[in-house]
Amino acid sequence: MPLDLLTRLDPLRRVQCPYCFERFAAFELHVKCDSPACETDFGRQVEDPILTRTYFGSGADSMIRSPWWADPRRDARRGLRRHLDWMVLPGRLDCPACGNATDCRLCPRCHQRLPDAAISGRPGHITIFGPQSVGKTTYMTVVLHELDQRFGPERGLLLEPIDEEVRRRYSQEYRDVTYGSAMQGIGVGQWGEVSRQAHMPTPPLEVNRRVLQPLVYRVKRRGASGAEPLLSFSDLAGEDWEMNFSVLRREAGHLIRKARGLLLLIDPLRIPQVARDSRVRLTPKEAIAPPAEYREDLSKLAAFFDRTPVKVPLAICLNKLDRWGPLMAPGTALHEVATSVPGELGREDSDRLIHEEVRAAMRRWDQLSFLEHLEIDFPRHRFFACSALGDAAQEEEDSPQPLPTPLLVDRPLLWLLKQQQLIR
């Protein structure tokens, strides 16, 4: 839809893209034709080097073609008007290929389509990261599903995909894997196949740069007025984090540096003191996994920022609570949640209690260096514990998987949303 007059009269306002998180003045926005004729007719399309660089990097062998696009300031057809865009944003431009008027705005840095909400307000952004096999992709899938189906509506909060591409990606690459395409039982699909399986590892950047494209949602709030805020979710590959850190820092550093909320997912089963406990039953994959270096993970995280202490809020969430929670002392909140069906816990009080219990557990597990580094470089932090799958986790990843029964997955997300002032 066309930009409203008040937005057009403020062309110097700073806009932040919800995809690449670059900031620029509104009058720098590009325009693209979005007519079906140009979208489907390859002969009418033009080369798009910016979109090519976004998807394939600077060394791409071929060029992506897209419908006609232009920087309005360099469209000679507009005559002298193109020199006045810093005073008032242009409305619609006519596509020279099909003749239709278009007001589809593009980020000038990555050429992703920007909705009006991205131009009129600042987007939120949460990046989920951590070592390999801690369950980052499963966690993001489950927490988005729970936010949409359960604890979001309970708080008058709804997430709406920014476009059909985000809806399709979440459905095919995330939800259908974790919940099954039929959303029934263990996920028997329409052709009778078992489609609920464990997630494959997130591909590294050198294989698939699509991991750089976050899932972007509109945040709809009951009783709220004005532009709807945007919220982006990024899931970084653990393989890049552990073995290709230089590539990750160079290609995806903006997803962490410019995030407004960070979520470090930790697997306590990779801490030697936990893994050696006789009460813990490790899967064959977990048994051969090397010990985690979570202290080094904090050093890597700090390396993304120009200075410390870092002001971005950091949630540290210990996943797989159903597995390690029974090791906690009877009577503790974590033991009760892990060994029984939890009741309604007071949000603020229980979050503080879990923070202290997790912190005490990390001390017992000889993670003193991790805790001290956290206090110095990331003072704005909080500990959480959760289980994305609950008792649905299976030892054999290639076997049919029951539907998730998550525990406390909402707590870190809600805390980060509060820190970004998206909820109260």
Side-chain angles (χ1 to χ4, degrees):
M1 60 182 298
L3 293 177
D4 61 80
L5 183 59
L6 289 178
T7 301
R8 291 181 58 200
L9 289 175
D10 189 11
L12 298 179
R13 74 165 67 205
R14 303 300 292 177
V15 176
Q16 185 174 28
C17 174
Y19 294 97
C20 69
F21 308 105
E22 292 290 338
R23 295 179 65 83
F24 46 85
F27 69 85
E28 297 179 59
L29 289 163
H30 292 182
V31 174
K32 184 187 83 166
C33 179
D34 59 351
S35 72
C38 284
E39 291 281 359
T40 57
D41 189 346
F42 187 79
R44 296 183 179 184
Q45 296 177 359
V46 297
E47 292 185 345
D48 192 335
I50 299 177
L51 193 62
T52 302
R53 186 174 63 248
T54 297
Y55 283 136
F56 301 111
S58 56
D61 296 330
S62 58
M63 192 72 69
I64 290 178
R65 296 180 67 87
S66 69
W68 171 84
W69 62 272
D71 181 346
R73 299 171 298 168
R74 292 178 170 82
D75 188 351
R77 299 175 305 161
R78 299 180 61 220
L80 291 177
R81 289 178 297 173
R82 61 194 173 109
H83 300 296
L84 302 178
D85 286 354
W86 64 273
M87 299 177 63
V88 58
L89 290 176
R92 296 173 179 267
L93 296 184
D94 292 334
C95 171
C98 67
N100 291 324
T102 179
D103 55 16
C104 175
R105 313 280 171 164
L106 303 179
C107 167
R109 309 293 189 259
C110 68
H111 262 202
Q112 297 291 337
R113 180 171 182 170
L114 297 184
D116 294 351
I119 302 172
S120 56
R122 184 182 179 188
H125 174 221
I126 293 175
T127 295
I128 302 173
F129 64 99
Q132 299 183 79
S133 303
V134 297
K136 298 180 296 297
T137 302
T138 300
Y139 173 83
M140 189 169 84
T141 306
V142 171
V143 78
L144 285 174
H145 181 266
E146 290 289 298
L147 180 59
D148 180 59
Q149 299 291 326
R150 188 175 61 83
F151 64 84
E154 290 174 357
R155 292 162 178 76
L157 183 73
L158 293 176
L159 291 186
E160 183 71 21
I162 198 172
D163 56 28
E164 286 304 312
E165 175 63 13
V166 171
R167 190 187 305 276
R168 182 199 65 77
R169 282 184 59 202
Y170 176 71
S171 174
Q172 296 182 5
E173 300 174 16
Y174 294 87
R175 188 196 64 193
D176 288 356
V177 179
T178 300
Y179 289 91
S181 58
M183 299 291 286
Q184 297 175 358
I186 60 171
V188 178
Q190 59 178 336
W191 306 112
E193 79 280 9
V194 176
S195 53
R196 158 72 174 105
Q197 299 290 339
H199 275 280
M200 297 295 291
T202 302
L205 281 170
E206 294 178 336
V207 175
N208 183 9
R209 289 180 60 88
R210 280 297 296 272
V211 299
L212 296 177
Q213 302 300 311
L215 297 177
V216 186
Y217 292 84
R218 291 185 180 90
V219 181
K220 297 183 176 183
R221 296 170 294 183
R222 185 188 307 139
S225 58
E228 297 171 345
L230 298 180
L231 184 60
S232 305
F233 292 89
S234 300
D235 169 27
L236 300 181
E239 181 178 339
D240 286 329
W241 184 264
E242 290 195 13
M243 295 182 288
N244 299 314
F245 184 72
S246 60
V247 175
L248 179 69
R249 187 178 178 185
R250 182 180 68 250
E251 300 292 339
H254 61 284
L255 295 178
I256 288 183
R257 283 193 306 272
K258 299 181 180 181
R260 300 185 64 196
L262 297 169
L263 199 161
L264 170 59
L265 212 59
I266 285 179
D267 181 4
L269 301 182
R270 290 186 62 184
I271 298 176
Q273 288 78 1
V274 179
R276 289 196 297 260
D277 194 298
S278 60
R279 293 169 290 178
V280 175
R281 185 177 178 182
L282 299 178
T283 66
K285 183 178 179 179
E286 292 168 342
I288 62 174
E293 297 287 348
Y294 294 125
R295 163 65 176 81
E296 294 301 318
D297 290 333
L298 288 183
S299 296
K300 289 180 179 179
L301 179 59
F304 283 94
F305 299 92
D306 295 331
R307 64 187 64 180
T308 55
V310 177
K311 297 181 180 179
V312 180
L314 171 64
I316 306 98
C317 187
L318 278 63
N319 197 13
K320 305 181 182 179
L321 174 61
D322 57 300
R323 306 276 305 284
W324 59 268
L327 306 182
M328 306 296 286
T332 60
L334 292 174
H335 185 273
E336 294 301 317
V337 171
T339 57
S340 62
V341 178
E344 284 297 320
L345 303 173
R347 292 284 168 183
E348 291 299 325
D349 292 341
S350 65
D351 282 354
R352 293 193 196 97
L353 180 59
I354 288 175
H355 170 82
E356 294 300 331
E357 289 185 2
V358 171
R359 182 179 176 82
M362 295 292 281
R363 286 185 177 276
R364 292 196 302 273
W365 298 334
D366 293 338
Q367 299 296 309
L368 296 178
S369 179
F370 172 86
L371 294 174
E372 191 61 28
H373 190 51
L374 192 62
E375 292 290 343
I376 294 174
D377 285 346
F378 301 92
R380 194 177 171 190
H381 70 271
R382 177 166 286 188
F383 283 108
F384 296 90
C386 78
S387 176
L389 294 177
D391 58 10
Q394 301 290 298
E395 291 188 18
E396 299 297 331
E397 294 185 353
D398 58 351
S399 64
Q401 308 283 314
L403 291 181
T405 54
L407 301 173
L408 306 182
V409 294
D410 57 324
R411 302 304 178 87
L413 177 62
L414 291 175
W415 182 76
L416 289 172
L417 293 179
K418 287 181 181 179
Q419 301 303 305
Q420 300 183 48
Q421 298 181 345
L422 292 179
I423 62 173
R424 296 179 180 178

